[in-house]
Amino acid sequence: MTDSKNPETIVLHAGHRKDDTTNAVAVPIYQTTSFQFDSTEHAANLFGLKEFGNIYSRIMNPTNDVLEQRVTALEGGVAALALGSGQAASLFAIQNICHAGDNFVSSTDLYGGTWNLFANTFKTMGIEVRYVDPSDPEGFRKATDERTRCYYAETLPNPKLNVFPIKEVADIGRELGVPLIMDNTACPILCRPFDHGAAIIVYSTTKYIGGHGTSIGGLLVDGGNFDWEAAGDRFPMLNQPDPSYHGAVWTEAVKPLGPIAYIIKARVTLLRDIGAPMAPFNAFQFIQGIETLPLRMERHCSNAQAVADFLAGHDKVTAVIHPSQQSGEARKRADTYLKGGYGGLVGFELAGGAEAGRKFIDALGLFYHVANIGDARSLAIHPASTTHSQLSAEDQLATGVSQGYVRLSVGIEHIDDILADLKQALDAA
Ligand code: PLP
């Protein structure tokens, strides 16, 4: 265990020193569905939330618990919940406080899958998303009414890579009693959204937190910094008796345990009912990944910077999308919210449009052509024909995807090999 505030130490030590029964240093994989109760009283106390402990791995698991504690410490939050995917984390983040008839306000700059979840799946549940352009934080205020339950955005959204004005929007939200939920998937370590006023963090751990590309997973982290009771009317799901848990009022029920009403409710109602837990084996994999996350982020950032500089000087490239290439307000936000580098993602547009984009991708040798980001290996994709293809052309443009756009997730290989592969693929494009 550690009291350190340094991420390099937290990722190796927070949440686990050794296994209590075997002294094993590595976190064991508790591959079990169930946990034996000591007595009927013990069982009743666990179900009644009178004491915390393991019941059933759909709702909690000791391997997942170490990952949850580690990411909580890294982000400076109070508690976390591991889930089966990043998509499940986005869904839970909203559904935990929104029901039919409610709305939330989201930045337009989103991962395509999240866009679809919000615009289409939530619509079928009667939950309305109100998309606003994040370049004007005041748009969030204008879109807010008494049924608005939260704001949602990505810190470093691809493909535009315009860093979100976290504090500006969090401040508006706190004035109106609306929490800001930040998807920080693309820039762990580089940004800590709670430091800027965000209330909840969403991660797809599938990406940089894992880094190995072996496992799908997600996380919700509760900052414990939002007063759900003060904004009482806005959060009936936290402040009024919950019929699904024999009338528990979540803000009251967990008060002795700290400001964890949001995350406890997500665990014991949504996870119980919807059932999208992270598998313990995957949690183990993410623990292996997170132990090297600060080092990897350094290399992702320096390699991506070199790639952006190289592309900016190439005559077949008409635009390079990377915070280092931005100016004005966008650059100011990148410099305010990202520390230690601009992340591993680089976008660019080829003069030859969609056809050149396809030829470029097909000519790549080192880069993998995959839908993922944040792998230790370098990855590339043509979003218009893949990740964003289910969006209308208009929605594609709103999220920043033009026909000739290519997205790179720059890995941690030697920079000479990365640049050599890009150069030969550009020659072929
Ligand atoms: N959030 C962001 C920013 C993403 O890039 C992704 C996936 O690409 C997700 C969420 C969804 O994560 P997952 O694929 O783990 O469900």
Side-chain angles (χ1 to χ4, degrees):
M1 297 289 206
T2 176
D3 295 329
S4 174
K5 297 278 176 260
N6 299 312
E8 296 82 353
T9 307
I10 290 172
V11 293
L12 284 158
H13 293 276
H16 177 83
R17 179 68 190 173
K18 63 175 180 62
D19 179 55
D20 284 343
T21 48
T22 63
N23 283 2
V25 171
V27 179
I29 304 170
Y30 288 94
Q31 193 70 26
T32 180
T33 56
S34 314
F35 302 86
Q36 159 96 344
F37 304 122
D38 297 336
S39 63
T40 49
E41 188 192 359
H42 179 222
N45 283 345
L46 291 176
F47 277 93
L49 301 178
K50 291 201 182 95
E51 67 182 277
F52 275 149
N54 297 311
I55 298 175
Y56 188 59
S57 282
R58 180 171 4 100
I59 308 170
M60 73 283 284
N61 176 280
T63 312
N64 298 20
D65 180 57
V66 174
L67 177 67
E68 289 163 353
Q69 288 191 49
R70 214 158 264 192
V71 177
T72 299
L74 196 59
E75 295 297 342
V78 290
L81 179 62
L83 293 162
S85 67
Q87 283 299 102
S90 312
L91 174 100
F92 275 44
I94 304 289
Q95 232 188 352
N96 202 35
I97 44 176
C98 276
H99 59 58
D102 294 342
N103 68 73
F104 66 103
V105 185
S106 172
S107 165
T108 46
D109 294 359
L110 285 183
Y111 163 59
T114 311
W115 180 288
N116 244 326
L117 167 70
F118 289 179
N120 298 310
T121 300
F122 276 145
K123 195 171 181 183
T124 66
M125 300 173 180
I127 298 171
E128 179 199 355
V129 61
R130 298 178 174 180
Y131 282 123
V132 299
D133 177 351
S135 59
D136 177 16
E138 284 299 318
F140 282 80
R141 188 195 304 278
K142 289 184 196 129
T144 304
D145 65 18
E146 72 283 355
R147 293 296 292 268
T148 302
R149 303 297 184 230
C150 59
Y151 298 154
Y152 191 99
E154 293 178 16
T155 309
L156 177 63
N158 82 81
K160 285 186 191 164
L161 303 181
N162 282 336
V163 171
F164 185 76
I166 306 175
K167 181 173 186 316
E168 291 89 326
V169 175
D171 284 352
I172 292 170
R174 282 175 190 276
E175 246 179 72
L176 304 176
V178 179
L180 172 63
I181 300 172
M182 290 303 306
D183 179 338
N184 205 44
T185 297
C187 49
I189 304 292
L190 309 178
C191 179
R192 294 209 326 168
F194 295 150
D195 292 349
H196 308 290
I200 303 295
I201 297 174
V202 167
Y203 272 115
S204 164
T205 52
T206 313
K207 312 295 185 316
Y208 291 99
I209 288 183
H212 32 53
T214 66
S215 312
I216 300 282
L219 270 168
L220 273 184
V221 195
D222 188 337
N225 59 7
F226 191 83
D227 191 343
W228 306 99
E229 274 183 294
D233 291 348
R234 231 183 244 294
F235 303 106
M237 294 168 79
L238 292 173
N239 289 311
Q240 287 176 16
D242 184 343
S244 90
Y245 221 101
H246 46 70
V249 175
W250 292 110
T251 46
E252 290 291 330
V254 303
K255 213 168 253 173
L257 304 168
I260 56 171
Y262 175 94
I263 205 85
I264 285 289
K265 178 185 174 295
R267 184 186 294 281
V268 302
T269 67
L270 282 183
L271 195 50
R272 175 199 62 185
D273 297 349
I274 293 173
M278 182 181 284
F281 180 74
N282 286 3
F284 172 82
Q285 293 281 63
F286 293 126
I287 290 166
Q288 306 317 297
I290 206 169
E291 293 187 347
T292 57
L293 182 63
L295 267 181
R296 281 187 286 111
M297 291 311 291
E298 269 179 43
R299 179 63 74 87
H300 281 296
C301 288
S302 61
N303 279 355
Q305 183 65 63
V307 165
D309 293 342
F310 163 75
L311 291 171
H314 199 284
D315 56 11
K316 285 191 178 169
V317 175
T318 52
V320 176
I321 295 94
H322 184 257
S324 68
Q325 304 291 313
Q326 295 168 347
S327 57
E329 197 58 41
R331 177 62 176 271
K332 214 170 100 193
R333 285 178 185 152
D335 289 335
T336 302
Y337 294 113
L338 301 183
K339 297 294 173 206
Y342 294 124
L345 303 175
V346 181
F348 67 98
E349 287 181 30
L350 282 160
E355 187 49 30
R358 272 192 284 274
K359 280 191 188 151
F360 170 83
I361 297 268
D362 284 337
L364 287 168
L366 184 75
F367 278 69
Y368 283 85
H369 179 203
V370 297
N372 199 17
I373 59 167
D375 197 308
R377 301 158 193 81
S378 287
L379 317 172
I381 201 155
H382 178 235
S385 60
T386 56
T387 51
H388 287 60
S389 61
Q390 283 136 42
L391 274 58
S392 67
E394 198 184 26
D395 286 351
Q396 280 190 6
L397 272 182
T399 63
V401 170
S402 67
Q403 289 303 303
Y405 183 97
V406 174
R407 180 187 74 200
L408 304 177
S409 172
V410 181
I412 61 173
E413 301 96 337
H414 196 287
I415 188 60
D416 293 351
D417 298 322
I418 292 174
L419 294 180
D421 195 34
L422 293 175
K423 188 173 176 319
Q424 64 80 25
L426 280 166
D427 289 346

